[in-house]
Amino acid sequence: MKPIYLDHAASTPVHPEVAKVMYNIMIGEYGNASSVHQFGRSAKKIINGARDSIAGFLGCAPDEWIFTSGGTESDNLALFGAAAGTAEKGRHIITTAVEHHAILHTCAELERQGYSIAYLPVDSTGLVAVADVEAALREDTVLISVMFGNNEVGTVQPIEEIGRLAAERGILFHVDAVQALGMLPINLLGLPVDYMSFTAHKISGPQGIGGLYVRRGAPLHPRQHGGLQERGRRAGTESLAGAAGFAKAVELAVLGLTQRQDHALRLRTTLLQELDRRIGRDAYVINGNTQHFLPGILNVSFPGASTDVLLMNLDMEGIAAASGSACTSGSLEISHVLQAMKLPAELLHSAIRFSTGLGNTNEEMEYVAQKVETILKRLRK
């Protein structure tokens, strides 16, 4: 069997239709969108077209969308930009202990700049309680940042409830929706959020481009300087092919949402059923919330085995899985998400993340379960 890619939460293969759109632009368009001649006007038309398309599919106005280099920059821009724009009102920010490092490391830098950060705990399934958010509020709270769906265990947070709470108190609310796009319905017009971060390469779009939704009227101080691109909010020459590819990926993700969800759930169900049949339900533990979850992410611990050995053996069998965030998977550190969930040591040290996407099949899930059985038997001899 050909190699099986089960690390879609890290990055996804580019969809052929996305690649076609990008190729046509890369060989036919090379003007700078800030230039006033016909080549520049043509480039500007591509950028504006991509912006209009994404805004239409996500339910926001085109001027509420900022192109960035990816999800990390989008998170950084939202937090630094919102904090700088509200510094006179207060310096208290609320987030959770299970955010992506693009949020946590940004918060750490804000702490060094004199901000006070509340890192809320989660339960054993990775879920944050709305009551904990409310209890953490202070007179000087200016921003709340909570991710939509967790990139390591797939737990989906109560975004709407938190957003309404923030809106009632006049507090800005940012959501990292990098993993949610293409797996959950998103209509920005109906969501109580001020900022929402996205990236293209999680939805079969190109790497190196993302976006930030900024509600009209929400403060945002720019982090990059040197040009008036993106209405002066994010300097830098725009990526024509990247923007157009992102727009096509969003179109495919939104229009095909139901099919994507159903496909991911079928794969998840098949893998779990095959694991039950081959190694027994008592031989593994599902990490994450089993009611509120992203269907494409399944985090499983195999007590008695170790994560690094499991990953190495899976790789030798042609199966690409992960231990957690791609930004930290090169290290041997235990996942901060699983630690925040206060899981027992035997689960912390044996966790594997299987994340599925377009191109994966039920037959592959059956093969993966078979190989897991073989590996576990070999390791436990």
Side-chain angles (χ1 to χ4, degrees):
M1 181 174 282
K2 67 178 183 179
I4 298 173
Y5 185 72
L6 295 181
D7 199 15
H8 289 258
S11 196
T12 55
V14 175
H15 193 287
E17 291 187 41
V18 173
K20 182 179 179 180
V21 167
M22 295 181 67
Y23 177 75
N24 289 336
I25 290 175
M26 291 174 75
I27 64 172
E29 298 284 350
Y30 44 84
N32 188 312
S34 296
S35 299
V36 297
H37 47 62
Q38 60 180 321
F39 296 94
R41 293 195 302 273
S42 180
K44 191 71 171 179
K45 185 177 180 180
I46 291 171
I47 293 295
N48 287 341
R51 191 190 315 280
D52 290 347
S53 178
I54 292 172
F57 282 112
L58 296 184
C60 66
D63 64 356
E64 294 177 311
W65 180 265
I66 301 173
F67 282 112
T68 68
S69 64
T72 294
E73 186 194 343
S74 184
D75 283 338
N76 274 250
L77 178 57
L79 266 62
F80 283 126
T86 55
E88 75 285 353
K89 296 181 179 179
R91 286 177 166 254
H92 181 243
I93 297 172
I94 297 172
T95 189
T96 80
V98 295
E99 299 298 305
H100 190 278
H101 281 114
I103 294 294
L104 296 179
H105 289 174
T106 300
C107 285
E109 176 57 31
L110 285 168
E111 283 186 291
R112 285 189 283 270
Q113 296 178 15
Y115 285 81
S116 175
I117 313 291
Y119 298 93
L120 300 184
V122 294
D123 66 15
S124 61
T125 73
L127 197 65
V128 66
V130 178
D132 287 345
V133 177
E134 186 170 16
L137 294 175
R138 301 187 338 196
E139 288 295 321
D140 60 340
T141 302
V142 293
L143 176 66
I144 299 171
S145 181
V146 179
M147 69 191 335
F148 208 145
N150 189 267
N151 57 299
E152 294 195 26
V153 297
T155 298
V156 174
Q157 303 294 355
I159 293 304
E160 293 193 46
E161 293 91 330
I162 296 172
R164 286 195 294 269
L165 176 65
E168 290 169 1
R169 306 294 182 90
I171 298 168
L172 297 171
F173 184 38
H174 167 254
V175 174
D176 179 337
V178 163
Q179 294 291 343
L181 182 59
M183 278 296 155
L184 298 175
I186 295 176
N187 181 3
L188 291 164
L189 183 63
L191 284 173
V193 301
D194 299 289
Y195 314 90
M196 189 171 279
S197 295
F198 303 92
T199 196
H201 73 105
K202 309 293 188 181
I203 56 167
S204 297
Q207 296 178 351
I209 188 160
L212 175 64
Y213 159 75
V214 181
R215 179 186 54 78
R216 192 175 291 165
L220 189 82
H221 282 209
R223 293 289 294 171
Q224 292 181 203
H225 304 276
L228 297 177
Q229 294 90 349
E230 301 300 306
R231 296 177 179 266
R233 298 172 296 186
R234 197 266 183 181
T237 300
E238 302 94 340
S239 168
L240 303 184
F246 192 3
K248 187 63 178 180
V250 170
E251 174 190 337
L252 294 170
V254 173
L255 294 181
L257 178 63
T258 300
Q259 294 91 331
R260 291 168 67 100
Q261 290 175 324
D262 291 346
H263 178 64
L265 283 171
R266 282 196 298 271
L267 296 175
R268 178 189 179 97
T269 299
T270 298
L271 179 54
L272 290 175
Q273 288 178 342
E274 286 298 305
L275 288 175
D276 286 350
R277 185 172 72 85
R278 290 185 172 278
I279 65 175
R281 185 63 186 85
D282 295 335
Y284 70 92
V285 176
I286 299 174
N287 302 316
N289 196 287
T290 54
Q291 289 184 305
H292 309 287
F293 61 89
L294 299 174
I297 295 179
L298 178 63
N299 193 299
V300 181
S301 287
F302 299 94
S306 66
T307 298
D308 54 345
V309 174
L310 283 169
L311 287 176
M312 179 181 67
N313 278 269
L314 285 169
D315 191 39
M316 290 171 60
E317 298 287 357
I319 301 166
S323 59
S325 172
C327 297
T328 57
S329 59
S331 68
L332 295 178
E333 294 181 4
I334 299 300
S335 161
H336 72 282
V337 173
L338 300 183
Q339 287 180 312
M341 290 162 58
K342 294 183 169 54
L343 299 185
E346 61 180 358
L347 301 187
L348 287 176
H349 294 278
S350 61
I352 300 292
R353 182 188 69 185
F354 300 104
S355 52
T356 59
L358 301 178
N360 289 134
T361 65
N362 282 333
E363 290 72 24
E364 288 180 336
M365 299 304 103
E366 293 169 0
Y367 179 82
V368 170
Q370 174 193 335
K371 290 305 177 182
V372 168
E373 177 188 27
T374 299
I375 291 168
L376 292 177
K377 284 181 178 178
R378 184 165 64 238
L379 295 178
R380 290 168 178 168
K381 278 185 178 180

